[in-house]
Amino acid sequence: MAIVLAIVGVLVTSMMFTLSAQIEQRSFNDTQSRLESAREAVLAYAIANGRLPCPATSASAGAEVRLGTGVCGATTGTAFDYYGGVSGGVTGGLLPAVTLGYQPIDSSGFALDGWGNRIRYAVSRVTTPSYTANFTNKANMQTNGLTVLPNDLIVCASATGIVPGGSPPSCGASATNSVTNQTTVVALLYSPGKNGTTAITLGTDEAANENRAGANDAVFIYHTPAPTTAANGEFDDQTLWITVGTLYSKLLAAGVLP
Ligand SMILES: [Ca+2]
Ligand SMILES: [Ca+2]
């Protein structure tokens, strides 16, 4: 057993020092720091404007897509406008890099992760009543103060058992499947990771993040990286979120609220 472990140890050590592994690690770290600076840019935007930005779409050249009322979307607002996904060939839920002044961006105005994928961004809407712009409307944020919490965005440890169509959406019956509480997450950013650059059939957990056509919902998955042999498939997405407490404390400290 000790000999086997020693051999495995040597193999692992030599693998860690291969060039490709170093490049992958650099891209991973680069993605993490870009997500962190994107989160700072979103919070800075909230301080300057008294509200969170709406997501961009692949048709908006890096600008947020938002109605004058604060509802996210070009028309009435849909789950797609808040949580992303693909609708009619347009990808929603992208970081509004041009609105934020975030760098680096591609030639179309979109923020990129360390792999070359566009960074995803989702923002809370309050589910009842539907599509009320509480966190993307300055007046609503000031009127509501601390009494309105997000009740839609939720992060789960696995897609197994999630109830994305629930009211509110949930991680399901398993008490251990929730990474965040129901009223905690006001915005979320993620990178589709290295495998996001290739056209693959996504595993169950990554599919729950991508929110492709017909599944645009508020449930996101986050756990440590997993190989293709994992029960729910390969997982290399990198995710950060903004809690409502962080958002309000920044706004209060800056004198934006109350
Ligand atoms: Ca991925
Ligand atoms: Ca989802």
Side-chain angles (χ1 to χ4, degrees):
M1 188 64 187
I3 293 168
V4 170
L5 284 175
I7 292 170
V8 168
V10 169
L11 286 173
V12 168
T13 306
S14 64
M15 282 168 64
M16 281 174 63
F17 285 97
T18 60
L19 184 61
S20 67
Q22 287 183 25
I23 291 171
E24 281 197 16
Q25 188 62 46
R26 193 173 65 189
S27 299
F28 183 93
N29 294 345
D30 194 19
T31 297
Q32 201 66 22
S33 71
R34 289 187 194 194
L35 286 172
E36 282 164 13
S37 56
R39 176 167 62 183
E40 289 307 308
V42 168
L43 286 169
Y45 183 91
I47 289 170
N49 296 278
R51 65 169 177 88
L52 289 172
C54 284
T57 73
S58 60
S60 73
E64 68 172 345
V65 181
R66 178 179 177 271
L67 296 170
T69 55
V71 171
C72 296
T75 52
T76 56
T78 65
F80 162 83
D81 295 310
Y82 286 82
Y83 313 136
V86 180
S87 178
V90 175
T91 302
L94 301 173
L95 187 74
V98 168
T99 299
L100 299 173
Y102 175 90
Q103 291 284 337
I105 56 175
D106 65 15
S107 60
S108 302
F110 295 99
L112 299 178
D113 66 10
W115 312 98
N117 301 301
R118 290 174 177 177
I119 294 175
R120 311 302 207 266
Y121 167 71
V123 64
S124 171
R125 64 176 174 89
V126 173
T127 51
T128 308
S130 202
Y131 307 116
T132 301
N134 277 305
F135 301 101
T136 52
N137 177 298
K138 182 179 181 180
N140 285 353
M141 283 200 66
Q142 289 180 326
T143 309
N144 294 331
L146 299 168
T147 62
V148 173
L149 295 172
N151 69 351
D152 48 352
L153 289 176
I154 189 162
V155 183
C156 309
S158 158
T160 303
I162 58 172
V163 188
S167 184
S170 81
C171 296
S174 169
T176 58
N177 201 36
S178 295
V179 176
T180 66
N181 282 343
Q182 192 72 60
T183 53
T184 301
V185 182
V186 74
L188 178 143
L189 304 110
Y190 81 92
S191 148
K194 186 190 177 191
N195 72 6
T197 59
T198 52
I200 57 162
T201 302
L202 297 175
T204 316
D205 287 354
E206 292 204 335
N209 282 342
E210 282 291 287
N211 283 341
R212 288 179 177 169
N216 308 317
D217 60 68
V219 175
F220 290 84
I221 310 299
Y222 177 69
H223 58 76
T224 52
T228 51
T229 51
N232 284 358
E234 183 175 36
F235 188 90
D236 66 1
D237 295 359
Q238 292 172 247
T239 308
L240 291 180
W241 51 88
I242 297 171
T243 68
V244 68
T246 298
L247 174 66
Y248 276 125
S249 67
K250 295 272 186 190
L251 295 178
L252 288 166
V256 179
L257 289 175

